[in-house]
């Protein structure tokens, strides 16, 4: 690649890159500023870390972190575990079957939450049909309802990602492995898994980040306590504390920092693995 | 005529149970004025939910127009800004693509509510808080990355070759764009527009943080999910409709790519 082509590439990315960087960096800086200035519009000389101290002293923070991590792990692991067999089952089928399967992908989360409430809440349609509710899903303390909404939405999404990575070449390699006497487990571990690993990792990271910062889904199907970090921030914002807005901003800066740290860690791991390979 | 395969029939059956049945219940709920437990069938049908959509107190109509205009404007702004970046990424013209990908991915991964709270600090100073312009700018933070990533998949050596042929045939740059490039990337462009629209359409936290005074459809829907299931179901149907229409349009547009 010539120097001119490289420069041209950087120049081509500039409009979108600058817009994203300006808006995103502005958002992060704005949130940091809001977290240290309890009264908006005051000069930086009035900056204080009181809101941060209050956030870290609040016992709800530990519960919110635990609950956010718990729902994230549940939703992400279940989605990934279901997406792999779904992709393997769908790979020999045409666009019609794949389209039907991927129908929930464009559906907004709030609509799925509404459907979950209608069917699975106490007094909902499932309880009316069965005469009893086998388990609490909506507003349950374990966050099953939150996880279920995300699983419903993200299994088709992850399946599509995995399907995109499964080409005809893979089937030929699998056939070759079968001819050589490899069992289906061995073919899955040695032939299929290395191919789907990267899209799975990328997709799972995206899903995990989405669930970790989830806001509207826990507001509709989550319990009142414990809360996720984002809904705890919303509570602080609408609460009566003097520095409520600063505390909310501090919590959201914390969520942002965790998400950014995980993203960078995974990128670093991916780059290290590529270099080794 | 060919018989549908067993897999297709199984997929249709699974879709009916998982997707159609829940949706049918949502439609029934929207038109059930009275549906008390333990009855499986509503006691009384009516139009209370539909009436609420047109009532000024719920602001659902206003929210629908607002959400539509914000999603359309955001997508219309995002596509031209994303075009050159998507092209450079698709044609692999970047020396170090990873930092660019990380920059693009971060706004998608960070919660919209967090981004919104930060942006609202600036928007208050710039008189953009609680305005449509503020909402469009805020939505651009998350829509633009999606549009860049999706559109990038449309570009590559094949499109470059076609453009080169157009250049050799003596086409002017605008003729190459209209007659060669746009038809060649039409399918991916349609998908990018739909995804951009849907991402903006589904934003709740971001809209709440920067434009709580400006009603959007998810903002109107959420309180009703807790208070009134019939009105919530009616709003849900409206909330689903443009997404379905956008998908159908994209499917039609992408049917005959070059």
């Amino acid at each position: 690649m010539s120097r001119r082509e490289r420069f041209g590439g950087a120049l081509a990315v500039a409009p979108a890159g600058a817009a994203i960087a300006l808006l995103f960096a502005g958002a992060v800086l704005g949130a940091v500023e809001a977290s240290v200035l309890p009264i908006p519009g005051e000069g930086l000389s009035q900056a204080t870390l009181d809101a941060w101290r209050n956030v870290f002293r609040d016992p709800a923070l530990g519960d919110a972190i635990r609950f956010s991590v718990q729902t994230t792990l549940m939703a992400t692991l279940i989605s990934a575990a279901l997406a792999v067999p779904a992709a393997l089952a769908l790979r020999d089928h045409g666009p019609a079957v794949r389209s039907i399967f991927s129908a929930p992908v464009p559906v907004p989360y709030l609509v799925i939450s509404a459907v979950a409430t209608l069917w699975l809440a106490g007094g909902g349609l499932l309880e009316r049909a069965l005469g009893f509710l086998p388990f609490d899903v909506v507003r349950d303390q374990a966050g099953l309802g939150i996880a279920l909404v995300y699983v419903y939405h993200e299994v088709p999404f992850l399946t599509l990602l995995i399907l995109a990575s499964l080409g005809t070449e893979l089937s030929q390699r699998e056939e070759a492995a079968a001819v050589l006497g490899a069992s289906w487990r061995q073919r899955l571990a040695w032939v299929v898994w290395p191919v789907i690993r990267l899209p799975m990792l990328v997709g799972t990271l995206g899903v995990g980040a989405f669930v970790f910062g989830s806001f509207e889904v826990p507001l509709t199907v989550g319990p009142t306590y414990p809360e996720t970090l984002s809904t705890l921030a919303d509570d602080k914002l609408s609460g009566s504390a003097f520095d409520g807005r600063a505390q909310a901003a501090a919590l959201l800066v914390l969520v942002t920092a965790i998400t950014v740290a995980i993203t960078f860690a995974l990128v670093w791991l991916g780059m290290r693995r590529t270099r080794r390979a | 005529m060919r018989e549908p395969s067993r897999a297709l029939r199984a997929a249709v059956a699974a879709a009916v149970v998982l997707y159609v049945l829940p949706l049918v219940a949502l439609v029934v709920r929207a038109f059930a004025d009275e549906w008390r437990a333990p009855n499986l069938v509503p006691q009384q049908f009516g139009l209370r939910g539909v009436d609420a959509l047109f009532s000024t107190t719920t602001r659902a109509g206003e929210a629908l127009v607002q959400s539509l205009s914000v999603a359309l404007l955001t997508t219309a702004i995002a596509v031209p800004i994303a075009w050159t970046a998507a092209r450079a990424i698709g044609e692999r013209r970047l020396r170090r693509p990873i930092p660019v990908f990380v920059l693009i991915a971060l706004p998608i991964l960070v919660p919209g509510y967090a981004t919104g709270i930060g942006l609202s600090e600036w928007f208050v100073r710039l008189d953009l808080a609680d305005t449509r312009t503020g909402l469009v700018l805020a939505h651009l933070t998350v829509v633009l990355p999606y549009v860049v990533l999706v559109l990038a998949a449309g570009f590559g050596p094949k499109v470059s070759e076609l453009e080169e042929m157009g250049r050799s045939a003596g086409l002017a740059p605008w003729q190459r764009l209209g007659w060669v490039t746009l038809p060649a990337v039409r399918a991916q462009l349609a998908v990018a527009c739909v995804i951009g629209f849907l991402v903006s359409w589904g934003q709740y936290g971001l809209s709440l943080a920067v434009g709580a005074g400006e009603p959007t459809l998810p903002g109107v829907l959420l309180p009703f999910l807790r208070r009134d299931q019939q009105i919530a179901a009616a709003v849900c149907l409206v909330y689903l409709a443009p997404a379905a229409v956008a998908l159908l349009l994209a499917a039609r547009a992408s049917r005959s790519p070059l």
Side-chain angles (χ1 to χ4, degrees), chain A residues 245-261:
Chain A
R245 185 171 175 82
Q247 284 193 49
L251 274 165
L252 292 169
V253 169
L254 192 66
V255 178
T256 304
I258 294 170
T259 311
V260 170

Side-chain angles (χ1 to χ4, degrees), chain A residues 1 5-6 8-34 37 40-41 90 93 96-97 100-104 106-111 113-115 117-119 121 123 125 128-129 139 152 156 205-207 209-210 212-220 230-231 233-235 237 245 248-249 252-253 255-256 259-260 263-264 267 271, chain B residues 5 7-8 11-12 15 18-23 25-27 29 35-41 81-89 92-95 98 100 102-125 137-138 140-141 144-146 148 198 201-206 208-209 217-219 221-222 225-226 229 232-233 236-237 239-240 243 247:
Chain A
M1 197 189 289
E5 275 176 327
R6 281 203 303 263
L11 206 64
V13 172
I20 293 170
L22 183 74
L23 286 166
F24 185 66
V28 174
L29 282 176
V32 171
E33 193 201 59
L37 288 175
L90 285 175
H93 301 295
V97 178
I100 291 169
F101 184 78
S102 56
V107 177
Y109 290 107
L110 274 178
V111 175
S113 299
V115 170
T117 310
L118 185 61
W119 280 88
L125 294 176
R128 297 181 198 189
R139 304 213 167 272
Y152 187 86
L205 164 71
V207 171
F210 242 84
F212 187 69
S214 60
F215 180 49
E216 59 265 49
V217 176
L219 273 181
T220 46
S230 295
T231 51
D234 188 49
D235 262 7
L237 192 63
R245 185 171 175 82
L252 292 169
V253 169
V255 178
T256 304
T259 311
V260 170
T263 307
F264 276 101
V267 168
M271 282 171 73
Chain B
S5 68
L8 184 60
V12 170
L18 284 170
Y19 310 147
V20 181
L21 212 59
L23 204 66
L26 205 62
V27 177
R29 190 69 196 89
W35 197 359
R36 293 206 193 100
N39 292 298
L40 262 174
V41 182
I81 297 177
W83 185 269
T84 55
R87 200 179 169 124
I89 292 169
R92 297 173 190 273
R93 279 193 281 136
L94 296 175
R95 194 181 171 196
I98 290 172
V100 175
V102 171
L103 171 72
I104 292 171
L106 279 177
I108 298 175
L109 297 174
V110 168
Y113 193 40
T115 309
I117 286 285
L119 282 176
S120 67
E121 290 297 310
W122 302 107
F123 285 4
V124 167
R125 288 172 208 170
L137 274 174
L140 209 55
T141 319
L144 194 50
Y146 276 106
V148 170
L198 291 176
W201 183 250
Q203 287 300 319
Y204 173 71
L206 192 54
L208 181 76
L217 218 47
L221 170 60
L222 200 134
L225 282 174
R226 292 165 166 178
Q229 281 210 350
C236 272
L237 294 181
Y239 195 25
L240 263 176
L247 272 175

Side-chain angles (χ1 to χ4, degrees), chain B residues 19-245:
Chain B
Y19 310 147
V20 181
L21 212 59
L23 204 66
V24 168
L26 205 62
V27 177
V28 175
R29 190 69 196 89
F31 293 96
D33 277 2
E34 199 181 321
W35 197 359
R36 293 206 193 100
N39 292 298
L40 262 174
V41 182
Q43 288 95 341
Q44 193 184 326
F45 285 98
L47 294 174
R48 197 178 66 87
V50 180
D51 288 342
L53 286 179
F54 297 104
S55 144
T56 47
T57 46
T58 58
R59 298 183 83 185
E62 202 185 328
L64 173 65
V65 173
Q66 177 83 287
S67 286
L68 260 177
S69 57
V70 169
L72 288 172
L73 270 170
T74 309
T75 310
I77 294 169
V79 171
I81 297 177
W83 185 269
T84 55
R87 200 179 169 124
I89 292 169
E91 290 171 355
R92 297 173 190 273
R93 279 193 281 136
L94 296 175
R95 194 181 171 196
R96 290 196 177 89
I98 290 172
V100 175
F101 278 116
V102 171
L103 171 72
I104 292 171
L106 279 177
I108 298 175
L109 297 174
V110 168
Y113 193 40
T115 309
I117 286 285
L119 282 176
S120 67
E121 290 297 310
W122 302 107
F123 285 4
V124 167
R125 288 172 208 170
L126 299 168
D127 276 338
L128 290 171
D130 294 337
T131 65
R132 188 173 295 176
T133 312
L135 278 171
V136 170
L137 274 174
H139 284 205
L140 209 55
T141 319
V142 281
V143 170
L144 194 50
Y146 276 106
V147 173
V148 170
L149 292 175
V150 175
L151 199 53
F155 290 101
K158 276 186 187 168
V159 177
S160 305
E161 280 167 23
L162 285 171
E163 285 177 323
E164 197 50 53
M165 283 164 68
R167 198 193 313 263
S168 308
L171 294 180
W174 64 269
Q175 287 173 319
R176 284 203 303 274
L177 178 71
W179 297 349
V180 180
T181 317
L182 282 176
V185 299
R186 192 172 80 172
Q188 213 58 34
L189 184 62
V191 175
C193 288
V194 169
I195 289 184
F197 178 89
L198 291 176
V199 168
S200 170
W201 183 250
Q203 287 300 319
Y204 173 71
L206 192 54
S207 306
L208 181 76
V210 299
E214 289 283 299
T216 58
L217 218 47
V220 166
L221 170 60
L222 200 134
F224 283 115
L225 282 174
R226 292 165 166 178
R227 282 203 317 258
D228 191 322
Q229 281 210 350
Q230 186 181 5
I231 297 176
V235 178
C236 272
L237 294 181
V238 177
Y239 195 25
L240 263 176
V245 172

Side-chain angles (χ1 to χ4, degrees), chain A:
Chain A
M1 197 189 289
S2 72
R3 200 176 195 179
R4 197 178 156 190
E5 275 176 327
R6 281 203 303 263
F7 182 70
L11 206 64
V13 172
I20 293 170
L22 183 74
L23 286 166
F24 185 66
V28 174
L29 282 176
V32 171
E33 193 201 59
S35 73
V36 294
L37 288 175
I39 300 170
E42 278 198 326
L44 277 175
S45 57
Q46 304 295 315
T48 165
L49 290 174
D50 285 352
W52 283 90
R53 284 189 203 102
N54 290 337
V55 162
F56 282 111
R57 273 188 211 132
D58 187 350
L61 176 69
D63 289 339
I65 291 175
R66 183 190 54 74
F67 189 63
S68 295
V69 171
Q70 182 180 318
T71 48
T72 302
L73 286 177
M74 255 196 300
T76 312
L77 294 178
I78 295 171
S79 300
L82 292 176
V84 176
L88 294 177
L90 285 175
R91 68 174 158 165
D92 298 326
H93 301 295
V97 178
R98 291 182 187 196
S99 302
I100 291 169
F101 184 78
S102 56
V105 174
V107 177
Y109 290 107
L110 274 178
V111 175
I112 302 176
S113 299
V115 170
T117 310
L118 185 61
W119 280 88
L120 304 171
L125 294 176
L126 187 68
E127 189 176 7
R128 297 181 198 189
L130 297 176
F132 68 101
L133 205 57
F135 39 75
D136 273 338
V137 173
V138 174
R139 304 213 167 272
D140 65 304
Q141 297 285 308
L144 270 175
I146 300 170
L148 190 75
V149 168
Y150 281 105
V151 166
Y152 187 86
H153 194 275
E154 308 305 350
V155 169
F157 168 72
L158 284 177
T159 304
L160 287 181
L161 266 186
I162 297 169
L163 276 171
S165 68
L166 299 172
T168 46
E169 204 181 296
L170 182 71
S171 303
Q172 289 164 359
R173 268 190 273 165
E174 268 190 282
E175 276 171 30
V179 170
L180 291 169
S183 67
W184 70 268
R185 274 186 200 175
Q186 288 168 323
R187 292 202 299 273
L188 183 68
W190 298 340
V191 183
V192 178
W193 178 245
V195 174
I196 65 171
R197 195 172 49 195
L198 187 64
M200 270 278 287
L201 182 74
V202 173
T204 308
L205 164 71
V207 171
F210 242 84
V211 186
F212 187 69
S214 60
F215 180 49
E216 59 265 49
V217 176
L219 273 181
T220 46
V221 296
T224 40
Y225 195 92
E227 293 177 277
T228 63
L229 284 163
S230 295
T231 51
L232 180 64
D234 188 49
D235 262 7
K236 301 276 183 199
L237 192 63
S238 52
S240 56
F242 161 72
D243 62 349
R245 185 171 175 82
Q247 284 193 49
L251 274 165
L252 292 169
V253 169
L254 192 66
V255 178
T256 304
I258 294 170
T259 311
V260 170
I262 293 171
T263 307
F264 276 101
L266 283 168
V267 168
W268 180 74
L269 274 173
M271 282 171 73
R272 212 175 65 158
R273 192 177 277 272
T274 313
R275 261 187 229 132
R276 272 187 196 164

